Amino acid sequence: MNREKVYKHADRLTGFFLLLIPFVISFSSAAVTVVSIFMIVAFLVKRIAGRDFSFKSMPVKWPFLLLMALSFVSIFKTVSPRASLQGMWKLAYFGSLFTVVCEEITGRKYAKRIVISAMLGLLLSSLNGIWQLQFGWDLFRQRAYAIQADMGLPRINSAFPHTNIFAAYLVSVIPLAAAMLIYSWNNGIVRRLTYALLMIVSLFCLAFTFARGAAVGLIAALVLIGLARRNKSVFIFLMCIFIIGVICMPAGIRDWSSKADSVWDILLNPERIGDYRNALNMIRHNPLLGVGVNTYILHIDKYKIRDGSVYIGNAGYAHNIYLHMWGEIGIFGLIAFLWLAFSLFKYAWSRYRYLKDDFLKMAALGITGGILAFLINGFTETVLYYPKVAVLFWFEVGVLLGILNLKEAQGE
């Protein structure tokens, strides 16, 4: 087979696997890992066959390389070189993932197919969640829903390992659905009803995860969309959701919230605050370099606080991506990640204002909202360390950069 044929086959496979990722994320961790690795391999074969080693300019390149460098430095303090090397492999994998995705988005048509794939995944996971709520088990793993002990209410997780991971997935994708609803509002009643229905079923599922941090993240994302579009309808929608939520609030939630001493007891719980205390204790002893990338769970027992208070944490993770990251790779590693996030949002805003194509503009805004919701949810969950939704985060970073780099998006 000559080089030209290899290039064509590899190009088709790269595009095929890329479009599968946002769909298979909705139901299988193993499948999304396999598909994304196949995509990266096909991309490398394609570039080698085409002798093309040029890459698009990305504002997150240097922050990500610094993040990797500081993670590598943290290995010198690790108690498990093997675990830390696995952590470095994950970082390299995520970096390759968003780079390939960014490179492969070559036009409006491609971006549209990615959005459709993501929406199909959101629909599938939401319908699976509703099925689980109705019949007690999900369609893919036959897992039963959990019961929130202090409320006596079911918490659905669809095909995800935990209800909070399902919530992290939902709030990462729902803002894109909201943006597409706004975009399609004047483009036919079928599209309008389709996206409206998708919003309803996905928000219904989010409500039954009872993930408060995810809800706050979604509200922030929708506020961002409303402000960027100067669209009053978004704020009216949020107000309606609030009123409906208050009216339809189950008795179990009313009883639980009435017994809370403060808003912090509603947003968090004593165990989670205890996990924060444990993480801060780890950080206090290892502020600069951390304990070693990918080794938080191996160290945390040493730093758990047992002082007789109600704030006792027993989890093997910090329930906070920023504390978790600081504990593993130190303050400078955390700063590198925050630099990456800041650079991404700054670049998105600077390019968004000049986007000419309304579909691409709304897609970029919806994805930006999803990334924002994910990062805000990260204050209450270790979402960046859950493999499936971590793939989604870096995938969305790549899609956003790819869309913003399109010449046709700038009217060129």
Side-chain angles (χ1 to χ4, degrees):
M1 187 179 294
N2 59 39
R3 184 180 290 112
E4 184 178 350
K5 288 185 178 180
V6 170
Y7 179 90
K8 288 182 178 179
H9 287 309
D11 182 52
R12 290 172 183 169
L13 285 173
T14 304
F16 173 72
F17 291 134
L18 192 156
L19 292 175
L20 277 181
I21 290 174
F23 179 70
V24 298
I25 281 175
S26 66
F27 62 87
S28 175
S29 298
V32 75
T33 300
V34 171
V35 167
S36 56
I37 290 176
F38 281 175
M39 179 194 70
I40 294 169
V41 172
F43 173 82
L44 291 174
V45 171
K46 168 188 164 182
R47 285 300 182 93
I48 292 171
R51 296 178 179 177
D52 180 8
F53 303 101
S54 61
F55 291 89
K56 297 176 183 176
S57 174
M58 292 189 295
V60 301
K61 178 178 68 174
W62 293 113
F64 187 81
L65 290 175
L66 179 60
L67 179 65
M68 286 202 65
L70 292 168
S71 297
F72 179 77
V73 170
S74 75
I75 292 178
F76 293 100
K77 291 194 66 179
T78 186
V79 295
S80 175
R82 180 179 179 181
S84 289
L85 289 174
Q86 288 174 343
M88 291 301 300
W89 154 251
K90 290 178 186 177
L91 275 175
Y93 161 58
F94 291 141
S96 301
L97 175 67
F98 76 74
T99 299
V100 172
V101 173
C102 176
E103 291 290 325
E104 287 300 302
I105 297 178
T106 55
R108 183 182 190 274
K109 184 182 292 186
Y110 211 95
K112 189 174 183 179
R113 290 172 180 171
I114 291 173
V115 170
I116 292 172
S117 178
M119 295 301 95
L120 289 174
L122 179 62
L123 178 63
L124 178 63
S125 64
S126 298
L127 293 178
N128 186 38
I130 292 172
W131 176 280
Q132 184 182 47
L133 183 64
Q134 178 66 32
F135 298 103
W137 48 274
D138 86 280
L139 290 168
F140 294 95
R141 301 288 184 274
Q142 285 75 54
R143 293 189 181 118
Y145 56 65
I147 297 293
Q148 183 72 18
D150 49 4
M151 300 179 192
L153 296 170
R155 297 186 68 191
I156 59 176
N157 57 282
S158 191
F160 291 77
H162 191 276
T163 186
N164 291 335
I165 304 178
F166 182 37
Y169 165 79
L170 289 173
V171 299
S172 298
V173 186
I174 289 176
L176 179 58
M180 290 297 100
L181 176 59
I182 295 172
Y183 169 75
S184 64
W185 196 255
N186 297 318
N187 292 330
I189 190 171
V190 174
R191 287 186 182 181
R192 190 187 315 165
L193 290 176
T194 299
Y195 283 111
L197 177 62
L198 183 57
M199 287 289 293
I200 290 170
V201 296
S202 57
L203 287 172
F204 179 83
C205 287
L206 180 63
F208 276 91
T209 65
F210 299 106
R212 285 87 78 187
V216 172
L218 180 60
I219 291 170
L222 294 179
V223 168
L224 171 69
I225 293 172
L227 291 174
R229 295 295 292 185
R230 298 179 182 177
N231 191 321
K232 295 179 182 179
S233 300
V234 175
F235 299 100
I236 295 173
F237 172 76
L238 284 172
M239 184 60 67
C240 291
I241 291 295
F242 176 77
I243 293 171
I244 293 171
V246 171
I247 294 174
C248 300
M249 185 181 296
I253 297 180
R254 293 181 186 274
D255 294 340
W256 167 76
S257 59
S258 66
K259 297 174 184 177
D261 295 327
S262 68
V263 67
W264 294 110
D265 287 338
I266 296 175
L267 289 175
L268 304 171
N269 56 49
E271 293 81 9
R272 190 158 300 181
I273 294 173
D275 293 329
Y276 298 166
R277 296 173 71 208
N278 295 338
L280 288 169
N281 191 37
M282 175 187 287
I283 290 167
R284 184 169 65 86
H285 288 87
N286 308 274
L288 299 180
L289 296 179
V291 297
V293 61
N294 202 40
T295 62
Y296 185 98
I297 193 172
L298 301 178
H299 284 85
I300 192 57
D301 283 342
K302 178 181 176 181
Y303 299 103
K304 286 182 177 177
I305 298 173
R306 297 286 186 267
D307 58 2
S309 73
V310 296
Y311 301 110
I312 299 297
N314 293 305
Y317 39 88
H319 267 116
N320 182 303
I321 61 174
Y322 308 101
L323 294 180
H324 194 108
M325 189 177 297
W326 190 350
E328 284 196 345
I329 60 178
I331 183 61
F332 300 113
L334 175 60
I335 290 173
F337 179 76
L338 295 176
W339 178 24
L340 184 151
F342 174 78
S343 299
L344 181 66
F345 287 126
K346 181 182 177 182
Y347 184 69
W349 173 243
S350 66
R351 301 285 285 187
Y352 170 81
R353 291 181 296 169
Y354 301 104
L355 292 177
K356 304 300 181 183
D357 184 287
D358 200 40
F359 168 77
L360 293 175
K361 193 168 189 174
M362 290 309 299
L365 182 58
I367 294 167
T368 302
I371 293 171
L372 176 64
F374 183 94
L375 292 175
I376 290 176
N377 189 26
F379 282 102
T380 60
E381 283 298 331
T382 323
V383 286
L384 200 59
Y385 296 85
Y386 299 148
K388 190 188 292 189
V389 287
V391 168
L392 178 60
F393 171 78
W394 293 111
F395 180 85
E396 287 194 330
V397 169
V399 173
L400 179 60
L401 291 172
I403 289 175
L404 295 173
N405 271 315
L406 287 176
K407 290 184 178 180
E408 63 186 284
Q410 305 295 328
E412 299 176 14

